[in-house]
Amino acid sequence: LHGGVKGFDKVVWDAATDPEGGVSLTLSYTSRDGEEGYPGNLKVQVVYSLSTEGELIMDYSAETDKPTIVNLTNHAYFNLSGNVANGILGHLLQVNADKYTPVDSTLIPTGEQAAVAGTPFDFTKPTPIGARIQQVAGGYDHNFVLTRTTDSLQKVATLYDTASGRQLEISTTEPGLQFYSGNFLDGTLINADGKPLQKHAALCL
């Protein structure tokens, strides 16, 4: 599910700041041929940068010397309220996707692309995350098949917290967006304020 027993989240990456003095961080890692069962020496790089408009930009790149599988993403948690005790069930989510990929009991997509219309997965209009989450066994942890109009960077989702007025907009060049509603958070993770992250305290996009 996350790349193997020792996925890329559990290895040490080489880190470098922008030599030009910009606000960016470059992380690099080489996965050796056969690591976690994947063929090929895979050189991976992700650049995190902040724009003057307040955007967090993540640029991923990878190259390999053998045919292999790679699907890079981030696992940042978001709670726009400013207080994780409030949870994210009241956040409004809109995703530009008419389909999603159902999963099996181990959360691996079955290969089917199902319509979101008439289901708890319909976020084509801003909808409270908690409105229909009880209808989804275990909560949301699904990939949404994005309705794309271009191969270029495109806005695909909006997250909004009515109490704080904070809004997060997601743009990507990728075909899918994974929405995880923090179903397995159990208080063992502690945020920067020293507060435990309980179930549905934060979400990932």
Side-chain angles (χ1 to χ4, degrees):
L1 183 62
H2 292 109
V5 175
K6 188 176 181 181
F8 288 174
D9 60 314
K10 297 180 181 68
V11 298
V12 178
W13 294 58
D14 293 325
T17 54
D18 188 345
E20 304 297 324
V23 186
S24 71
L25 173 69
T26 299
L27 298 178
S28 305
Y29 178 71
T30 299
S31 173
R32 299 298 177 189
D33 187 12
E35 182 177 324
E36 293 302 316
Y38 293 97
N41 293 293
L42 181 74
K43 296 181 179 179
V44 182
Q45 179 176 281
V46 57
V47 180
Y48 297 91
S49 55
L50 292 174
S51 75
T52 54
E53 289 76 32
E55 300 164 310
L56 172 60
I57 302 168
M58 291 171 275
D59 287 313
Y60 301 93
S61 60
E63 60 179 47
T64 181
D65 54 11
K66 291 182 181 179
T68 192
I69 297 171
V70 61
N71 184 17
L72 303 171
T73 189
N74 81 98
H75 207 297
Y77 283 101
F78 293 96
N79 179 318
L80 302 185
S81 74
N83 183 353
V84 294
N86 295 333
I88 49 83
L89 297 182
H91 284 36
L92 299 179
L93 177 64
Q94 185 271 326
V95 181
N96 185 21
D98 294 326
K99 296 179 181 179
Y100 77 102
T101 53
V103 297
D104 63 19
S105 61
T106 63
L107 299 178
I108 300 298
T110 62
E112 177 189 4
Q113 293 188 15
V116 301
T119 77
F121 298 92
D122 189 349
F123 288 96
T124 52
K125 296 179 180 178
T127 303
I129 291 168
R132 298 167 300 194
I133 195 170
Q134 298 302 327
Q135 301 174 39
V136 181
Y140 295 104
D141 195 358
H142 297 77
N143 168 65
F144 286 76
V145 182
L146 298 172
T147 306
R148 301 197 57 87
T149 58
T150 174
D151 291 334
S152 302
L153 194 66
Q154 177 182 332
K155 189 174 92 169
V156 297
T158 302
L159 183 69
Y160 178 67
D161 176 50
T162 55
S164 67
R166 294 187 181 100
Q167 180 166 293
L168 174 68
E169 295 180 349
I170 304 286
S171 297
T172 185
T173 57
E174 299 305 298
L177 177 74
Q178 185 82 8
F179 167 38
Y180 170 54
S181 54
N183 315 316
F184 297 108
L185 295 174
D186 59 4
T188 55
L189 292 178
I190 307 298
N191 74 355
D193 296 328
K195 297 178 181 178
L197 299 181
Q198 304 290 352
K199 186 176 182 178
H200 305 318
L203 60 83
C204 299
L205 292 167

